[in-house]
Amino acid sequence: MVTKPLKVAVLISGRGSNLQALIDHFGPVITTSPVRIVTVISNRPGVQGIERAKKAGIPTAVIDHKAFPDRIAFDASLDRAIREAGAELVVLAGFMRLLTEGFVAAWKNRLVNIHPALLPSFRGTDTHRRALKRGVKMHGATVHFVRHETDTGPIIAQAAVPVLMNDTPDTLGLRVLQAEHKLYPLALRLIAEGRVTLDDERAVVDGRAEPTVLFSPAL
Ligand code: GAR
């Protein structure tokens, strides 16, 4: 049982459905929760995710990247806001800006991302269309510690979903998103409970049941 919740800053750029899953899972103010969202920061004004946070009573900030001369200045402002909020972990949830090497280094192993593919396959954007084109039979989502190279870093947790015969990028994307909404709360809980350790660049999670084998197509 965790007595002191892990304080996290959630960074978003849009819709915020993963943020909502975290709010629903951990609650904004429940003291027994292992995770407390202390701030939600968006780099885009007027996005739905900010409204979701406000509705949950979580402090919000909009730091518009367009107002800064370069990435370094933007990231410095981001860093300041995160530290002022007292966050110990930075959670990227649909945050669509590349972070500078300095920022990533400053938050090393305290910065996590969710990516809509089974890394190391399909780094980058447009993952669902590319997965369909490639004909993979399993697709999914990955939560990982962030390293400087985009969509790399120790893998903390993954969720796999089958690719179905008549899938479009939208239907497959929705199936993955529903998995993301379960995966991110699980991964943050594991981190908050101190159950994720690093063995070189490999994240090791203790105490989980062995996963059953997934088949696609089904046996
Ligand atoms: C999610 O599918 C997330 O995995 C993806 O953006 C979506 C955000 O949705 N992130 C990335 O592609 C990061 N490279 P949400 O705003 O509804 O959570």
Side-chain angles (χ1 to χ4, degrees):
M1 192 66 208
V2 179
T3 48
K4 221 167 138 250
L6 181 71
K7 293 187 240 167
V8 309
V10 181
L11 273 49
I12 61 167
S13 296
R15 175 179 61 180
S17 73
N18 273 291
L19 165 69
Q20 188 67 56
L22 296 175
I23 291 170
D24 293 346
H25 190 85
F26 295 116
V29 288
I30 300 167
T31 48
T32 53
S33 171
V35 170
R36 186 190 302 159
I37 304 171
V38 291
T39 185
V40 171
I41 303 173
S42 172
N43 68 305
R44 285 209 198 108
V47 298
Q48 192 187 357
I50 287 292
E51 294 314 310
R52 293 182 195 265
K54 281 185 177 162
K55 205 168 158 210
I58 300 167
T60 61
V62 174
I63 303 178
D64 187 346
H65 62 275
K66 291 193 191 122
F68 295 85
D70 53 34
R71 285 185 190 278
I72 291 178
F74 169 68
D75 281 10
S77 174
L78 210 53
D79 185 85
R80 209 162 32 245
I82 293 165
R83 289 180 198 279
E84 276 169 12
E88 302 157 289
L89 180 79
V90 180
V91 174
L92 307 181
F95 184 71
M96 303 311 267
R97 295 293 298 169
L98 293 177
L99 293 162
T100 54
E101 203 160 357
F103 184 95
V104 172
W107 289 93
K108 189 171 182 189
N109 300 336
R110 296 181 302 149
L111 173 61
V112 296
N113 180 46
I114 189 159
H115 180 73
L118 291 171
L119 292 174
S121 292
F122 306 117
R123 293 166 56 196
T125 57
D126 210 10
T127 55
H128 310 312
R129 190 191 56 76
R130 287 160 55 214
L132 284 176
K133 190 161 181 228
R134 190 68 181 79
V136 294
K137 304 295 178 266
M138 296 276 200
H139 187 42
T142 303
V143 176
H144 63 100
F145 287 116
V146 173
R147 295 292 183 258
H148 179 55
E149 218 183 323
T150 311
D151 300 326
T152 67
I155 290 169
I156 299 161
Q158 293 185 305
V161 300
V163 178
L164 303 183
M165 185 77 82
N166 295 320
D167 266 335
T168 64
D170 282 351
T171 59
L172 180 56
L174 182 60
R175 194 173 307 119
V176 171
L177 191 66
Q178 285 166 346
E180 290 183 45
H181 295 163
K182 295 193 183 115
L183 184 68
Y184 224 176
L186 165 72
L188 294 194
R189 177 175 290 276
L190 291 171
I191 294 170
E193 291 176 351
R195 293 161 65 188
V196 180
T197 53
L198 279 171
D199 170 15
D200 194 15
E201 281 294 275
R202 193 170 65 108
V204 180
V205 181
D206 81 68
R208 299 297 301 176
E210 291 296 325
T212 53
V213 181
L214 302 174
F215 290 92
S216 178
L219 284 176

